[in-house]
Amino acid sequence: MHPVAGVTAPRLQLRIKHNMKSESYLSFSPTVPLPSGNPLASRALSAFEFCFGAFIVIGHNVFHIVPNEVIVLCVLGLISIRLRDGRGSAMGLKQPASWRRILLIALIAAILRILLAQFLIEPLTSLFWPSPTAPALANEITGNHQHRIGCFIAGLGVCRFRRRDCTPWLSPDGCS
């Protein structure tokens, strides 16, 4: 038996060796599924995914035929991992042990952000700048679905055309 780095007690060596084998994350064991039993098919699928990802990036940056490659690549990556491993926990998407604590921290952070903005930030900034005012149509939007949808679509259009990297086929003026 080979000694484990600096440990001389035989029972401790066996325990460390056993723990190292059982806690290996990348070991090939029945609990870690492989993408395919056929390595050639797995490599072909990976090559296809790589080429398709390159097409998406070049289609966005060079030819402007893909609106936003980041979202598309993220969704395709999630789908790929889900199809290969069969579950979301392979990529870390599982319910955390402390989910109640995380939700409580998020709720407290949201409440603090709203309260501090209302009672601390706005009064302090009103000493230097004028107080924020609502848009002219804000009162007409409440309860009126046509105005609500129209303002939403107009907002999307303004956001899309004001971006520097918007695609020319969506913007007649070329985003100047």
Side-chain angles (χ1 to χ4, degrees):
M1 173 182 313
H2 300 294
V4 178
V7 179
T8 55
R11 289 177 55 193
L12 186 58
Q13 286 179 356
L14 283 174
R15 191 170 2 147
I16 291 173
K17 193 172 184 180
H18 173 72
N19 288 342
M20 287 175 61
K21 282 184 179 179
S22 65
E23 292 178 7
S24 177
Y25 292 103
L26 298 176
S27 66
F28 293 107
S29 67
T31 60
V32 179
L34 293 175
S36 171
N38 183 357
L40 185 62
S42 178
R43 289 178 190 242
L45 179 61
S46 295
F48 172 75
E49 289 174 347
F50 174 76
C51 291
F52 190 62
F55 168 76
I56 290 172
V57 171
I58 293 171
H60 172 74
N61 292 331
V62 178
F63 299 115
H64 303 291
I65 58 174
V66 179
N68 190 349
E69 85 273 16
V70 175
I71 296 170
V72 174
L73 289 174
C74 286
V75 169
L76 288 176
L78 291 174
I79 291 171
S80 172
I81 292 174
R82 174 80 174 156
L83 290 176
R84 285 174 183 261
D85 295 331
R87 61 189 185 281
S89 63
M91 63 184 124
L93 295 177
K94 56 184 176 181
Q95 187 176 18
S98 60
W99 65 273
R100 287 188 181 115
R101 182 176 174 208
I102 292 171
L103 288 178
L104 183 64
I105 290 171
L107 182 66
I108 291 172
I111 291 171
L112 274 175
R113 187 253 177 250
I114 292 170
L115 291 177
L116 288 175
Q118 184 72 32
F119 297 113
L120 181 69
I121 305 298
E122 285 184 18
L124 283 178
T125 56
S126 67
L127 298 174
F128 304 104
W129 296 290
S131 297
T133 58
L137 295 177
N139 293 332
E140 294 181 24
I141 293 174
T142 306
N144 190 341
H145 297 297
Q146 287 180 332
H147 279 289
R148 183 180 301 159
I149 293 171
C151 290
F152 177 72
I153 291 172
L156 287 179
V158 167
C159 290
R160 182 66 199 156
F161 292 133
R162 295 294 296 165
R163 287 182 54 198
R164 289 184 187 174
D165 62 333
C166 70
T167 55
W169 55 274
L170 286 178
S171 172
D173 62 351
C175 292
S176 55

